[in-house]
Amino acid sequence: MKVLVINCGSSSLKFQLINSEDESVLAKGLCERIGSEGSRLVYSTHKIDKKELDKDLKDHTDAVQMVIDTLTDKEIGVIESLKDVDAVGHRIVHGGENFSKSVVIDDEVIKAIEACNDLAPLHNPANLIGIKACEKLMPHTKMVAVFDTAFHQTMPEKAYMYGIPYEYYDEYKVRRYGFHGTSHSFVSERAAEMIGKPLSETKTIVCHLGNGASITAVKNGKSVDTSMGLTPLEGIIMGTRSGSIDPAIISFLANKENISVNEVMDILNKKSGVLGMSGISSDFRDITKAMEEGNERAKMTMDAYCYSVAKYIGSYITAMNGVDVIAFTAGVGENNPYIRKEVCSYFKYLGVEIDDEANSQRTEDAVISTDKSKVKVLLVATNEELKIARETLALI
Ligand code: ADP
């Protein structure tokens, strides 16, 4: 079977065509700058390294059409016709409280996703446009919605309720939802497999450290707490997001700078985090390099970042009354040995010990703690697209 995985952003569309027999990626790509000048598809297959195809893409329907045309192209395509696509799996950012697992898409589901638009105004409408474009161009293909928030619906009330008047939960559903659920679920399953323990008996802390980043406590296979909240702004310091701050900073800055709350929010989302702190970059490669060259603000930023990750891990060890595995994943988690080591240095009191050689090598998935370490520390390559394809197949 072949599953097309679609991840629609406001001006982009990422896709992968996955062969379920061996879970290989037959083709993948990214349509960028949809709706503006210079739109194009960056495309690769198991045979073609990377091809940039310029095309005027006025909307997401154009982009889906281009993806279909490219996948079925005589020269660079990987399938004969659209009939070879057995199902489409859509990544949906916010499922609110309506969705605790993936679902086959029908009109009711579309309405329920629309009802969550308020909670993710930048993401959900774009995700829906992707669904509608696919419906139009491939009306007979089954489609499944896989939600970033669904995995976290197992959190207990005490973890998802905020200390604000209850009416806001009742009326607007203001609560912690959490994100990156597909990744946290994939990585926690893989981590249990790697240490040879049943998932149902394992306490795992997954550190998904990418540009956006979140940490989840997974107890016996279920998310019991996670660092992102109502929106992805809460939690650890990120590439450009501040993570958790004193909420009073918002009105303080608005008054001092004579700007609106929305403008402050924009700063907290796009100009803060390691970018804002270091004044250098949101990319951890640049921060690491500057730090190694003796830049003090880069060092301060890195210290604050690692400290914020360690504090969440510490609180989740308390939440689960212990931990068996700490797993690092995503761009930074998979590629930055300094951060992994620095974060783990806070848990020496628990007997966490990093194997420097294993930690410095970049293999696919690896145990990076020593044999003696009381807690296993792992590097796990996340694969959200594969997880979406698996969920999609399971439902059709
Ligand atoms: P997102 O999916 O949230 O955009 P990623 O998971 O791709 O983010 O992570 C982006 C971050 O990963 C960047 O800050 C970058 O520094 C880091 N990163 C990605 N690849 C590497 C690499 N090969 N070596 C070191 N860091 C990397």
Side-chain angles (χ1 to χ4, degrees):
M1 295 255 233
K2 295 182 182 68
V3 181
L4 180 61
V5 175
I6 301 261
N7 180 356
C8 251
S10 54
S11 65
S12 69
L13 184 156
K14 273 194 240 168
F15 74 91
Q16 281 194 9
L17 184 67
I18 294 177
N19 180 2
S20 71
E21 263 94 80
D22 58 358
E23 299 196 325
S24 63
V25 178
L26 297 170
K28 64 178 176 179
L30 165 69
C31 296
E32 12 179 47
R33 294 193 214 113
I34 299 170
S36 45
E37 236 169 80
S39 52
R40 60 178 189 167
L41 166 63
V42 184
Y43 174 78
S44 59
T45 70
H46 50 300
K47 289 197 199 119
I48 302 165
D49 210 18
K50 206 178 199 184
K51 225 175 165 53
E52 287 172 13
L53 307 161
D54 294 321
K55 183 149 199 246
D56 193 24
L57 303 170
K58 65 176 183 322
D59 55 28
H60 286 76
T61 309
D62 276 2
V64 174
Q65 185 67 58
M66 183 172 188
V67 169
I68 293 170
D69 290 346
T70 312
L71 287 173
T72 53
D73 186 87
K74 288 258 165 337
E75 268 171 40
I76 58 170
V78 290
I79 50 174
E80 300 239 316
S81 79
L82 251 192
K83 286 200 193 97
D84 294 335
V85 176
D86 298 288
V88 182
H90 289 271
R91 177 208 177 195
I92 310 294
V93 167
H94 221 306
E97 287 187 325
N98 297 332
F99 299 102
S100 55
K101 44 186 186 301
S102 306
V103 287
V104 174
I105 297 173
D106 59 18
D107 291 346
E108 287 303 302
V109 167
I110 290 179
K111 271 192 214 132
I113 297 173
E114 266 163 4
C116 300
N117 279 359
D118 253 8
L119 294 169
L122 295 179
H123 293 98
N124 270 32
N127 300 157
L128 280 162
I129 290 172
I131 293 179
K132 285 176 183 163
C134 288
E135 260 187 342
K136 192 163 154 198
L137 297 169
M138 22 190 10
H140 305 298
T141 312
K142 278 231 159 73
M143 300 205 286
V144 168
V146 181
F147 301 89
D148 272 24
T149 48
F151 181 60
H152 301 299
Q153 281 296 305
T154 47
M155 277 189 291
E157 259 181 334
K158 65 182 175 187
Y160 70 69
M161 289 302 290
Y162 288 118
I164 58 174
Y166 193 83
E167 300 87 274
Y168 299 133
Y169 170 65
D170 250 359
E171 198 153 333
Y172 309 119
K173 295 286 169 234
V174 175
R175 51 159 282 183
R176 174 182 314 287
Y177 289 97
F179 298 88
H180 295 135
T182 314
S183 175
H184 288 296
S185 157
F186 179 87
V187 172
S188 53
E189 281 169 20
R190 177 77 186 115
E193 199 180 284
M194 283 169 73
I195 64 160
K197 222 177 149 182
L199 182 64
S200 58
E201 292 168 21
T202 308
K203 294 172 180 173
T204 312
I205 295 175
V206 180
C207 305
H208 177 110
L209 310 180
N211 227 327
S214 67
I215 303 186
T216 296
V218 185
K219 190 175 182 185
N220 307 334
K222 294 195 161 73
S223 168
V224 292
D225 206 347
T226 190
S227 60
M228 283 179 167
L230 173 76
T231 75
L233 185 55
E234 192 183 347
I236 64 167
I237 294 169
M238 304 178 216
T240 64
R241 295 189 193 121
S242 62
S244 298
I245 56 167
D246 178 348
I249 293 173
I250 297 169
S251 59
F252 182 87
L253 285 182
N255 291 335
K256 286 280 182 203
E257 295 272 307
N258 199 18
I259 53 178
S260 68
V261 166
N262 283 345
E263 284 170 306
V264 179
M265 295 312 291
D266 201 55
I267 293 170
L268 296 181
N269 272 300
K270 299 189 186 141
K271 298 182 184 150
S272 299
V274 295
L275 169 68
M277 291 177 85
S278 68
I280 297 169
S281 165
S282 64
D283 193 306
F284 283 82
R285 282 168 285 204
D286 301 332
I287 308 291
T288 309
K289 186 162 170 280
M291 186 184 73
E292 285 165 359
E293 288 165 359
N295 183 309
E296 283 179 16
R297 244 170 85 184
K299 172 82 170 86
M300 173 279 289
T301 303
M302 191 61 101
D303 286 348
Y305 178 80
C306 294
Y307 181 60
S308 85
V309 175
K311 279 203 296 187
Y312 269 96
I313 295 176
S315 66
Y316 291 161
I317 293 172
T318 306
M320 294 192 290
N321 204 351
V323 63
D324 299 305
V325 195
I326 299 172
F328 289 93
T329 193
V332 182
E334 290 170 35
N335 293 297
N336 197 312
Y338 175 87
I339 290 178
R340 291 193 297 258
K341 173 138 184 167
E342 193 60 21
V343 167
C344 288
S345 71
Y346 286 92
F347 303 102
K348 286 200 183 115
Y349 76 99
L350 270 182
V352 174
E353 212 178 80
I354 292 294
D355 178 332
D356 285 330
E357 206 185 316
N359 186 37
S360 61
Q361 281 169 18
R362 176 65 181 98
T363 51
E364 275 299 287
D365 289 347
V367 177
I368 58 166
S369 47
T370 62
D371 291 344
K372 274 199 331 223
S373 181
K374 295 262 173 23
V375 178
K376 293 254 184 287
V377 184
L378 310 183
L379 184 169
V380 182
T382 192
N383 194 336
E384 289 161 283
E385 289 79 11
L386 178 57
K387 178 78 182 164
I388 293 173
R390 284 179 184 165
E391 299 260 315
T392 303
L393 268 186
L395 280 169
I396 63 150

